[in-house]
Amino acid sequence: NSNNNNNHGVASSRRCWMCRSCCSWWRMVGVFNKKEFVKRTKGDFTFAYLEHVGPCQDCGKVCERVESLLAGHPYQHRAGIYFDDPSKVAPEKCRTFVGGIYDGKLAPEVVAEVEKLGFRVRYMPKFECAVCTFPFRNVLSFFIGAMLVYRAARSADQCGDDHDTEMEDVGVMEFYNGASLSKQTSIEFCFPTSTQARKAFAYKD
């Protein structure tokens, strides 16, 4: 009986330790963070991007390609615009723009240089959007953040009154703060709440 009690105590201690470790890890990656949506003004930047059609989890490879092609360019952050819900659209048909953000408008010669590398270029004037910021800890943050933030957005009203009912194919923009993965600190999920934002996040210019 004494041995059984000791074994039971050891097992219980291990379970408690594992639970505390798991909770600490989930807390560290942001699972328990409150998902708040804050209205902000963004824009007045140029988005140079590549189009990806396929599973969203493959966007990491596209980000690596963006970093390689734009090495030495003065872009501030990486970003993506996601147009399709993977739960409703076949993964191989999901459309995403992945690229780099430059401050202000690019000079024509810089635009030409970037386009030669295979990028499309879009200037985005200032717009209002609802932003939810998620901490970046490691590559799992991309998947955990997207799962939690999009779920929270579906249960909240993120559609503003200022909208164009004729406009289709409008995505959600994600800002990966930092010019490279090693410098990234957070992910900003930006949901369009104005006509200007919907035009900025539209699939077609």
Side-chain angles (χ1 to χ4, degrees), residues 83-129:
F83 296 97
D84 301 298
D85 183 344
S87 66
K88 298 178 181 178
V89 178
E92 66 273 12
K93 294 183 179 179
C94 289
R95 300 159 301 160
T96 311
F97 292 164
V98 182
I101 298 291
Y102 296 78
D103 278 343
K105 284 187 177 181
L106 293 182
E109 59 271 20
V110 179
V111 172
E113 180 183 350
V114 172
E115 288 179 337
K116 280 184 181 179
L117 295 173
F119 289 82
R120 291 156 68 183
V121 178
R122 177 183 298 188
Y123 172 71
M124 296 183 176
K126 288 185 177 181
F127 55 81
E128 287 189 356
C129 57

Side-chain angles (χ1 to χ4, degrees), residues 21-200:
S21 297
C22 287
C23 287
S24 295
W25 190 85
W26 286 117
R27 186 176 296 107
M28 185 270 291
V29 297
V31 170
F32 300 130
N33 286 29
K34 187 176 181 180
K35 311 305 177 291
E36 295 181 323
F37 296 87
V38 180
K39 291 287 181 71
R40 290 184 186 164
T41 299
K42 298 184 79 71
D44 188 22
F45 54 67
T46 300
F47 184 39
Y49 60 92
L50 303 174
E51 181 172 1
H52 168 69
V53 179
C56 293
Q57 57 263 37
D58 291 345
C59 288
K61 297 177 182 177
V62 185
C63 273
E64 291 176 2
R65 188 177 171 212
V66 168
E67 287 183 35
S68 176
L69 290 172
L70 295 182
H73 278 247
Y75 71 98
Q76 283 70 43
H77 306 291
R78 294 160 300 128
I81 303 180
Y82 295 81
F83 296 97
D84 301 298
D85 183 344
S87 66
K88 298 178 181 178
V89 178
E92 66 273 12
K93 294 183 179 179
C94 289
R95 300 159 301 160
T96 311
F97 292 164
V98 182
I101 298 291
Y102 296 78
D103 278 343
K105 284 187 177 181
L106 293 182
E109 59 271 20
V110 179
V111 172
E113 180 183 350
V114 172
E115 288 179 337
K116 280 184 181 179
L117 295 173
F119 289 82
R120 291 156 68 183
V121 178
R122 177 183 298 188
Y123 172 71
M124 296 183 176
K126 288 185 177 181
F127 55 81
E128 287 189 356
C129 57
V131 178
C132 182
T133 302
F134 192 84
F136 180 83
R137 299 289 183 260
N138 52 49
V139 291
L140 288 177
S141 298
F142 292 116
F143 306 103
I144 296 172
M147 177 182 69
L148 297 176
V149 172
Y150 284 107
R151 180 187 298 168
R154 282 193 290 269
S155 63
D157 181 11
Q158 297 308 322
C159 296
D161 295 329
D162 180 16
H163 64 279
D164 184 348
T165 55
E166 304 274 331
M167 193 176 294
E168 297 178 354
D169 277 342
V170 176
V172 174
M173 194 164 194
E174 298 181 11
F175 291 87
Y176 311 122
N177 293 330
S180 65
L181 191 65
S182 62
K183 297 179 180 178
Q184 187 166 336
T185 58
S186 64
I187 305 171
E188 288 186 336
F189 296 85
C190 301
F191 296 81
T193 57
S194 63
T195 296
Q196 292 83 359
R198 288 180 176 82
K199 287 179 178 177

